[in-house]
């Protein structure tokens, strides 16, 4: 072969087998390329020459993966983003490897350990939306969902046969849908994409496959916090009416092609006289379940986990011990810290929420250091100046951007710090980093992928300010969701409508309301985004 053809062949093989090329010295690489009859036979050539050329033993299997990636990229066939029923992605390729961690080469994941000897199945596929070739070790839940799609198995039957919770099956399906391993019916919870505004925004921010009902099942509470936004008492629903709420949610999720999550809160939800009955009824309908509450006993958590494992349990801290106990009561800080240790012991995902005020900005990052190994996630909500919170010191709009920049920097080194506040996307935009989903994964999720229900059945777009939409004793959740009032909250503020960050931000309606602004016209008072003209 003349030198020109040899160079062309070397270039072609180096392009296709980029990761292998990095692991083979130049002289050995040229011998491999010369020995290979074709692109397709190159993995076999590597395997045959591994001993002779003293190559790393995993390279043959890595080459198989890279060849599959090349072939998937060559196939320009369009994949359907949505299908009438759960359908296996036709581009999926499954490899049985004798080395682990090879998928990380394809994904470019530096944090994963290098190859180690051991059996591991790897899935390769093309994402139906982005077209990107993806790779991952095949987990049991992935294989389960793939089997469901191939054999058209209903989730409830799979849960019964496998003696697993229906919520776990549905969560696995949602994850597989988001990753593109399978496709399914189009979710009916979606925002309109505006090309002139939303160019460059990840399409996943426009449609949600999960709907969360934050259910304040009781106003009873064992605390009296200084920033509580509602101490009102409501005539509670009967147990029969509460079970009807769960049935209504199940119907809503079915008709909107989404999975339901019930986040029980209050007050303190565990003080509801029929809490465990409600928890069991919600589990039976396949919902993901979580709690926003106060510290509980080991026995309570173990009983709930025996019914269905909690997705997470969220408690609150308002700063370091002295300030927190001033806000929530003496001894509360230590009780929360001990409870976080208990949740860790019981393998329950723990979250700590802080209400950010003008008085505790400087305590957030020191507290995050204390929580570094005590909780899975620590983040904040800005104070809504409603209820008793109206007496507290508001956040200074002039100092808030500096706080957010410091917070964003700390996120890089503290694994427990979560990103939630929509306005953090301004920092990420400034720093040319990927945007994140904001408060509920879709910017402000009020009346979009999230609604709040009070103890009397009243539905609000968001619990942190008066945003009444209807009552579940009089209207169905679907009717309330489709109402003109709900649509108005979903649209957000008019001043935000043309912002390029709209899909992942929209500010905080509760903060706007509490500062006396019209939530349908005025943007968040803490917004500091300077859009280019």
């Amino acid at each position: 072969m003349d030198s020109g053809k040899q160079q062309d062949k070397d270039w072609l093989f180096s392009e296709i087998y980029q990761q292998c090329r990095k692991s083979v010295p130049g002289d050995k690489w040229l011998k491999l390329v010369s020995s290979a009859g074709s692109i397709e036979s190159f993995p076999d050539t590597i395997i045959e020459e591994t001993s002779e050329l003293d190559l790393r033993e995993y390279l043959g299997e890595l080459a198989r993966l890279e060849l599959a990636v090349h072939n998937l990229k060559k196939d320009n066939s369009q994949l359907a983003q949505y299908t009438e029923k759960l359908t296996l992605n036709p581009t999926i390729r499954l490899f049985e490897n004798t080395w682990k961690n090879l998928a990380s080469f394809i994904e470019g994941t530096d944090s994963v350990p290098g190859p180690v000897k051991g059996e591991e199945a790897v899935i390769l596929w093309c994402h139906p939306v982005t077209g990107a070739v993806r790779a991952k070790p095949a987990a049991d839940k992935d294989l389960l969902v793939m089997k469901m799609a191939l054999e058209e198995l209903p989730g409830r039957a799979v849960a019964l046969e496998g003696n697993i919770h229906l919520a776990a099956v549905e969560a696995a399906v949602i994850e597989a849908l988001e990753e593109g391993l399978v496709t399914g019916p189009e979710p009916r919870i979606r925002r309109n994409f505006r090309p002139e505004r939303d160019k460059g925004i990840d399409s996943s921010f426009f449609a949600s496959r999960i709907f969360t009902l934050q259910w304040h099942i009781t106003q009873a509470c064992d605390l009296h916090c200084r920033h509580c936004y509602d101490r009102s008492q409501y005539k509670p629903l009967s147990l029969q009416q509460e079970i009807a709420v769960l049935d209504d949610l199940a119907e809503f999720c079915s008709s909107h092609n989404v999975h339901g999550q019930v986040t029980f809160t209050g007050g303190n939800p565990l003080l509801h006289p029929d809490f465990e009955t409600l928890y069991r009824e919600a589990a039976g309908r396949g919902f993901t379940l979580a709690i926003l509450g106060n510290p509980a006993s080991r026995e309570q958590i173990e009983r709930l986990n025996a019914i269905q494992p909690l997705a997470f349990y969220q408690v609150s801290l308002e700063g370091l011990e002295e300030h927190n106990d001033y806000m929530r009561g003496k001894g509360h800080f230590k009780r929360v810290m001990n409870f976080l240790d208990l949740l860790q012991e019981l393998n329950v995902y723990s979250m700590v929420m802080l209400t950010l005020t003008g008085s505790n900005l400087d305590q957030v990052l020191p507290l995050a250091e204390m929580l570094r190994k005590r909780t899975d996630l620590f983040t904040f909500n800005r104070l809504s100046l409603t209820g008793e919170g109206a007496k507290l010191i508001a956040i200074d709009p002039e100092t808030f951007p500096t706080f957010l920049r410091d917070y964003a920097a700390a996120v890089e080194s503290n694994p427990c710090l979560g990103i939630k506040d929509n306005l953090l996307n301004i920092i990420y935009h400034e720093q040319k980093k990927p945007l994140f989903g904001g408060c509920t994964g879709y910017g402000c999720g009020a009346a979009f992928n999230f609604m709040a229900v009070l103890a009397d059945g009243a539905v609000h777009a968001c619990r942190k300010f008066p945003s009444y939409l209807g009552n579940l004793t009089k209207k169905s959740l679907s009717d309330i969701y489709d109402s003109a009032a709900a649509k108005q909250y979903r649209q957000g503020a008019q001043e935000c409508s043309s912002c390029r960050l709209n899909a992942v931000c929209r500010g905080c309606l509760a903060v706007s309301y509490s500062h006396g602004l019209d939530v349908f016209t005025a943007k968040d008072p803490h917004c500091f985004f300077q859009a280019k003209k």
Side-chain angles (χ1 to χ4, degrees):
M1 183 182 298
D2 63 48
S3 60
K5 289 184 178 180
Q6 181 62 41
Q7 287 179 351
D8 289 344
K9 186 178 181 183
D10 177 31
W11 177 86
L12 180 60
F13 278 57
S14 296
E15 280 294 300
I16 295 171
Y17 298 99
Q18 293 182 19
Q19 297 302 324
C20 290
R21 177 66 186 88
K22 292 176 182 178
S23 302
V24 179
D27 57 336
K28 295 181 180 181
W29 178 259
L30 290 176
K31 289 181 180 179
L32 284 172
V33 172
S34 297
S35 301
S38 66
I39 290 170
E40 287 73 19
S41 66
F42 193 57
D44 292 333
T45 300
I46 291 179
I47 293 171
E48 292 167 1
E49 299 290 344
T50 293
S51 178
E52 179 71 23
L53 297 179
D54 191 26
L55 303 175
R56 295 174 182 176
E57 293 182 22
Y58 62 81
L59 285 178
E61 292 183 356
L62 178 58
R64 284 195 311 162
L65 294 178
E66 291 202 275
L67 176 61
V69 170
H70 169 68
N71 289 331
L72 285 174
K73 288 180 177 178
K74 277 199 312 180
D75 183 3
N76 293 322
S77 58
Q78 294 293 314
L79 298 175
Q81 182 176 359
Y82 302 113
T83 47
E84 290 186 6
K85 59 185 178 181
L86 196 66
T87 304
L88 188 67
N89 185 326
T91 67
I92 283 179
R93 303 291 183 269
L94 186 64
F95 294 85
E96 297 290 346
N97 292 333
T98 60
W99 287 84
K100 295 181 177 181
N101 303 329
L102 297 186
S104 63
F105 284 96
I106 308 301
E107 288 287 296
T109 309
D110 296 331
S111 59
V112 176
V116 294
K117 194 66 176 174
E119 294 183 358
E120 182 176 74
V122 171
I123 309 172
L124 279 181
W125 75 101
C126 261
H127 194 282
V129 178
T130 65
V133 177
R134 300 289 312 280
K136 66 179 293 189
D140 289 343
K141 60 183 178 181
D142 300 321
L143 299 175
L144 175 66
V145 177
M146 290 162 62
K147 178 182 173 67
M148 289 174 62
L150 275 173
E151 301 180 12
E152 300 185 15
L153 302 174
R156 190 169 292 277
V158 170
L160 286 172
E161 182 180 345
N163 194 28
I164 53 180
H165 293 284
L166 177 57
V169 174
E170 293 204 0
V173 171
I174 293 297
E175 185 176 334
L177 286 164
E178 291 178 344
E179 290 185 329
L181 289 172
V182 293
T183 55
E186 181 176 4
R188 292 184 57 207
I189 292 180
R190 58 185 311 107
R191 298 196 195 279
N192 292 328
F193 178 83
R194 289 168 47 179
E196 72 282 3
R197 179 193 67 190
D198 301 323
K199 183 180 179 181
I201 299 293
D202 191 320
S203 62
S204 65
F205 293 133
F206 293 89
S208 175
R209 291 194 178 275
I210 299 176
F211 179 81
T212 298
L213 203 66
Q214 188 185 88
W215 195 0
H216 298 254
I217 57 175
T218 180
Q219 287 295 89
C221 190
D222 43 341
L223 300 177
H224 192 139
C225 304
R226 293 178 182 270
H227 61 296
C228 183
Y229 40 74
D230 188 2
R231 298 290 297 183
S232 305
Q233 294 303 311
Y234 305 99
K235 181 181 179 181
L237 301 177
S238 67
L239 178 59
Q240 185 177 4
Q241 288 175 312
E242 289 168 333
I243 293 174
V245 168
L246 296 172
D247 287 333
D248 191 11
L249 175 60
E251 173 59 31
F252 174 87
C253 292
S254 176
S255 63
H256 286 74
N257 298 327
V258 294
H259 172 64
Q261 173 175 307
V262 179
T263 302
F264 290 106
T265 185
N268 182 352
L270 272 68
L271 296 180
H272 185 289
D274 297 306
F275 177 69
E276 289 190 18
T277 299
L278 274 182
Y279 190 92
R280 189 181 302 277
E281 291 285 342
R285 286 157 178 79
F287 301 133
T288 295
L289 304 179
I291 291 176
L292 312 182
N294 301 332
S297 69
R298 173 187 292 272
E299 292 72 24
Q300 286 174 307
I301 303 301
E302 288 179 338
R303 285 200 304 271
L304 295 178
N305 271 340
I307 298 169
Q308 176 174 302
L310 283 154
F312 65 85
Y313 196 118
Q314 179 180 299
V315 290
S316 296
L317 287 173
E318 308 309 333
L320 301 176
E321 185 169 5
E322 182 179 355
H323 180 75
N324 176 81
D325 286 4
Y326 168 75
M327 293 292 294
R328 289 187 167 267
K330 188 174 181 179
H332 177 263
F333 188 89
K334 285 188 171 65
R335 288 197 300 275
V336 168
M337 287 297 194
N338 290 335
F339 184 60
L340 292 175
D341 292 340
L342 173 63
L343 292 178
Q344 198 170 64
E345 182 183 337
L346 297 177
N347 198 32
V348 175
Y349 190 93
S350 67
M351 297 169 59
V352 175
M353 181 61 66
L354 175 143
T355 299
L356 193 68
T357 71
S359 301
N360 64 2
L361 259 75
D362 59 346
Q363 299 183 41
V364 174
L365 296 184
L367 178 59
E369 285 303 310
M370 295 181 66
L371 294 172
R372 178 184 284 266
K373 295 184 179 180
R374 302 287 282 268
T375 188
D376 294 294
L377 186 143
F378 168 53
T379 189
F380 66 89
N381 277 323
R382 280 176 284 150
L383 171 70
S384 175
L385 295 163
T386 54
E388 297 184 26
K391 303 173 186 176
L392 301 182
I393 300 173
I395 301 163
D396 182 359
E398 298 297 319
T399 61
F400 188 55
T402 300
F403 166 80
L404 283 186
R405 291 188 176 91
D406 292 342
Y407 187 94
V411 167
E412 301 297 321
S413 60
N414 189 334
C416 84
L417 273 177
I419 49 176
K420 186 175 189 292
D421 193 291
N422 292 331
L423 299 189
L424 271 167
N425 270 312
I426 301 176
I427 307 298
Y428 283 27
H429 177 77
E430 291 175 348
Q431 298 175 353
K432 295 181 169 53
K433 293 181 178 179
L435 303 179
F436 74 103
C439 184
T440 68
Y442 304 88
C444 174
F448 176 60
N449 66 324
F450 164 95
M451 283 183 176
V453 178
L454 306 190
D456 63 352
V459 180
H460 287 251
C462 174
R463 182 67 177 96
K464 294 196 296 179
F465 74 107
S467 47
Y468 181 76
L469 300 174
N471 194 294
L472 291 177
T473 62
K474 299 176 181 178
K475 292 183 177 180
S476 70
L477 185 59
S478 290
D479 286 342
I480 292 173
Y481 189 87
D482 292 334
S483 67
K487 291 176 182 177
Q488 193 172 18
Y489 281 108
R490 282 199 287 279
Q491 287 177 337
Q494 188 176 352
E495 286 187 18
C496 297
S497 62
S498 61
C499 179
R500 70 185 68 181
L501 303 183
N502 183 278
V504 292
C505 184
R506 298 166 176 246
C508 178
L509 299 181
V511 171
S512 295
Y513 173 86
S514 72
H515 281 72
L517 302 176
D518 181 345
V519 299
F520 302 122
T521 59
K523 68 179 183 179
D524 189 316
H526 292 132
C527 177
F528 54 98
F529 183 55
Q530 300 296 322
K532 293 181 181 179
K533 301 294 185 182

